[in-house]
Amino acid sequence: MKSVLLIGLGRFGRHMALKLHELKHEIMAVDSSEERVNEVLPFVTTAQIGDSTNEQFIASLGVRNFDLCVVAIGDDFQSSLETTALLKEYGAPFVLSRAARDVHAKFLLRNGADDVIYPEKQMALWSAVRYSSDNVFDYIELTPEHAIYETQVPEPWVGKTIVQLAVRQKYHISILAIKRSGRLEPLPGPDHTFQRDETLLALGSNRDMQKFLHL
């Protein structure tokens, strides 16, 4: 369990608060809007109404004591930048800041952010991959060159085993798991026989995966 300071409770911040709560982390939520703070009270450990660009306010939060500080401000870049800088100045161990544009990400990293999250860009990339193919159900980018795809079993594979198909040698991809009826079978053995009603999670380079998807 980690202690998290979450600053900014717009749509992104609220969703993050809900997920952190589900993962059993301790959360202090901060926003300048009383209404937004009240909306997340059931899902956070504690909350404060305040201006995160105010140095005295940041100093009062004890940011050194949090494992993770998240700047989720999305509609005011100047406030996001000032908040990020103040958190680092007061000793925050790790600051994750939200960026809306590439240039924002660069400035945030230069002014104290240890990492940035770019939800609009990341969702756009995911959607482009997911919906440009009828056979892709999910997609996780690991590096710019490699990703995990959840995809339908190719028709020529139905009734054949992993070893019969020589999947790694012929297609240069690794089968990480099989899903059927909502149940996951991780790391299927070489004798697994592919069925029409299952999907597979495969890891490979984007180039090899695109070849595989067009079988």
Side-chain angles (χ1 to χ4, degrees), residues 5-17 20 30-31 36 52 69-76 79-80 83-84 87 95-99 108 117 119-120:
L5 173 62
L6 176 60
I7 299 176
L9 299 173
R11 285 172 297 188
F12 176 77
R14 287 198 303 273
H15 285 301
M16 193 161 192
L20 288 167
V30 172
D31 198 280
R36 288 181 175 181
S52 62
C69 294
V70 181
V71 182
I73 301 169
D75 54 358
D76 185 343
S79 293
S80 177
T83 300
T84 298
L87 287 170
V95 179
L96 173 66
S97 297
R98 179 186 177 184
L108 288 165
I117 187 167
E120 290 84 0

Side-chain angles (χ1 to χ4, degrees), residues 2 14 21 50 88 90-91 95 104 136 148 152 212:
K2 288 190 174 184
R14 287 198 303 273
H21 171 72
K88 213 60 186 177
Y90 277 87
V95 179
H104 291 175
V136 175
I148 297 171
Q152 191 173 11
F212 163 71

Side-chain angles (χ1 to χ4, degrees), residues 43-59:
F43 312 105
V44 299
T45 311
T46 184
Q48 289 199 34
I49 303 166
D51 177 6
S52 62
T53 66
N54 182 290
E55 188 170 348
Q56 290 183 333
F57 178 70
I58 290 293

Side-chain angles (χ1 to χ4, degrees), residues 108-126:
L108 288 165
L109 289 167
R110 289 175 185 171
N111 284 270
D114 294 287
D115 203 354
V116 295
I117 187 167
Y118 198 157
E120 290 84 0
K121 182 178 181 179
Q122 290 164 334
M123 182 53 67
L125 294 175
W126 181 89

